[in-house]
Amino acid sequence: MSKTIIVEIHDRVGLIGLNRPEVYNALNDELMNALGTALDAFEADEQIGCVVITGSEKAFAAGADIAAMRSWDYMDVYKSDFITRNWERLKTFRKPVIAAVRGVALGGGCELAMMCDTVFAADSAKFALPEVRLAVIPGAGGTQRMPRAVGKAKAMDLCFTGRFMDAAEAERGGLVSRIYPADQVVDEALAAAAGIAQQSLPVLMMLKESVNRAFESPLNEGLLFERRTLHATFALADQKEGMAAFLEKRKPKFVNR
Ligand code: CO8
């Protein structure tokens, strides 16, 4: 297995640590391919209910690997479908994913965090889209997901200037869901993930698909998708169990079907 990531399993939670410490976890093909392979394995594993992605204390990730990209020309990136070819595995992953961000999440690192379903940040975390300074644009979803997360004014400000946004601003803006001291954020993400992973897996998958529809369809279409998905939950053994357990004042035993 590639050394660019560290994979651990904690009961029903999969933990992926980005691991290129010598370059602030800059994201190259080897790392992104390894991340995709790890996600494939977690997707196929019925025992995994939630995933946490993290980096090191210094860096979640400082972006795409600039040394690797430096000499690429238009045909290189176009023909090989740069970004789409391996970064987007995270977009199609169907189980919940929490990004636990410590240190810097810059450029592609920030975009990777935004591809996750929710972001927990260390109080010392810093987010930025500094691509403009390299004369490229945030091209792994940054120009689309940042305005959806924090609104147009702040997204334009971040993209035009490349400035760093601290965790408090990111939380106020809606990019980050929770802030913890740096030495606690991974444990807190794992604890939240463990709680999530206790829920019915098909319901979690339906929830994720339904919330994501909010960003991809007009309100009425999204509401229709939500309503039909709600109806589908009534086909689950877990729905019978969840409601019976509530009425019998006991903990549910979900079978993930
Ligand atoms: N790629 C490759 N190497 C990197 C990267 C990176 N993104 N970031 C840091 N490194 C390397 C440095 O080159 C350096 O290597 P060496 O020791 O061999 O000189 C090492 O990491 C340490 O870095 P610094 O010496 O710069 O350490 P500092 O503590 O002074 O600064 C920072 C740390 C703030 C993280 C600084 O390195 C930095 O600003 N990094 C680059 C941030 C950046 O511009 N990121 C965006 C990259 S572009 C991108 O992500 C686009 C992705 C998607 C769209 C694709 C379109 C291109």
Side-chain angles (χ1 to χ4, degrees):
M1 193 206 278
S2 168
K3 292 199 177 92
T4 56
I5 61 167
I6 298 166
V7 177
E8 294 174 13
I9 293 179
H10 300 241
D11 295 320
R12 288 183 56 76
V13 176
L15 175 65
I16 300 174
L18 310 176
N19 186 41
R20 296 188 72 210
E22 67 287 1
V23 285
Y24 283 80
N25 292 335
L27 305 166
N28 64 0
D29 270 335
E30 183 185 344
L31 189 154
M32 295 313 294
N33 290 338
L35 178 61
T37 302
L39 291 172
D40 287 344
F42 286 153
E43 189 100 88
D45 187 346
E46 276 275 329
Q47 298 310 310
I48 297 295
C50 189
V51 169
V52 174
I53 300 181
T54 194
S56 67
E57 220 171 292
K58 257 181 21 181
F60 180 73
D65 190 319
I66 299 167
M69 292 187 292
R70 178 183 181 172
S71 61
W72 292 348
D73 67 16
Y74 173 62
M75 276 299 112
D76 292 329
V77 291
Y78 179 76
K79 283 185 169 171
S80 69
D81 216 1
F82 176 45
I83 302 298
T84 314
R85 69 176 176 240
N86 46 12
W87 288 53
E88 293 208 326
R89 177 64 185 91
L90 194 51
K91 192 182 89 169
T92 60
F93 189 72
R94 297 175 74 200
K95 299 174 184 180
V97 182
I98 302 175
V101 176
R102 296 169 294 171
V104 291
L106 310 179
C110 182
E111 294 171 292
L112 190 70
M114 289 194 289
M115 281 185 214
C116 297
D117 298 314
T118 188
V119 180
F120 291 8
D123 47 11
S124 54
K126 301 261 188 296
F127 299 83
L129 293 174
E131 284 90 339
V132 68
R133 299 177 187 180
L134 303 169
V136 288
I137 68 168
T143 67
Q144 303 303 301
R145 291 195 178 95
M146 189 60 88
R148 281 167 169 81
V150 303
K152 176 179 162 182
K154 204 179 273 292
M156 287 288 193
D157 170 9
L158 292 165
C159 287
F160 286 153
T161 65
R163 74 174 173 87
F164 282 29
M165 171 166 71
D166 65 20
E169 184 182 359
E171 196 267 343
R172 275 198 312 277
L175 178 69
V176 160
S177 147
R178 307 189 198 176
I179 299 177
Y180 292 105
D183 60 349
Q184 292 169 26
V185 65
V186 176
D187 286 344
E188 292 289 350
L190 286 170
I196 292 167
Q198 293 306 307
Q199 309 302 331
S200 168
L201 181 56
V203 172
L204 292 171
M205 291 161 69
M206 288 180 198
L207 262 173
K208 174 165 174 164
E209 206 175 0
S210 198
V211 173
N212 280 334
R213 275 291 157 125
F215 298 98
E216 281 154 20
S217 52
L219 180 59
N220 266 327
E221 291 303 313
L223 287 170
L224 180 62
F225 184 86
E226 176 202 84
R227 206 56 35 79
R228 295 292 172 246
T229 306
L230 166 73
H231 294 165
T233 62
F234 283 75
L236 295 169
D238 284 344
Q239 174 265 333
K240 300 290 172 291
E241 168 63 9
M243 293 192 179
F246 175 80
L247 294 170
E248 292 160 19
K249 303 189 190 307
R250 60 175 174 80
K251 274 185 79 172
K253 285 201 196 84
F254 293 131
V255 293
N256 299 316
R257 297 192 71 81

